[in-house]
Amino acid sequence: MTYVVTENCIACKYTDCVEVCPVDCFYEGENTLVIHPDECIDCGVCEPECPADAIRPDTEPDMEKWVEFNRKYSEMWPVITAKKDPLPTAEEMDGKPGKLELLSEVPGEGD
């Protein structure tokens, strides 16, 4: 099992989760985060830290696409281990459907 970041992180990018990760497996894009599925140790401490409820275990239905999404971008983006301010759109965009089309493939700044 692994945990993955799902669509609700896009355009929010809360980073509360990265501070609690014991193995630094979060990677930062311009407007979202991902978890490297091969580095995640399945501890689950990140899941309750996410204000947007965007982190889910891969054992939930239809998570295969999110595992691959997280794998793809974690290999392209820099690691992030320190909390940053969320995006200015975070409150407005939290919970909105259809955010995948807003994804930016541009890497974030990382640490």
Side-chain angles (χ1 to χ4, degrees), residues 3-5 25-26 33-37 40 46 55 70-71 74:
Y3 284 83
V4 292
V5 176
C25 66
F26 280 88
L33 302 174
V34 293
I35 295 171
H36 195 301
C40 176
C46 60
I55 300 174
N70 279 250
R71 182 182 316 282
S74 66

Side-chain angles (χ1 to χ4, degrees), residues 40-55:
C40 176
I41 61 169
D42 313 326
C43 68
V45 296
C46 60
E47 185 180 21
E49 296 300 318
C50 180
D53 194 31
I55 300 174

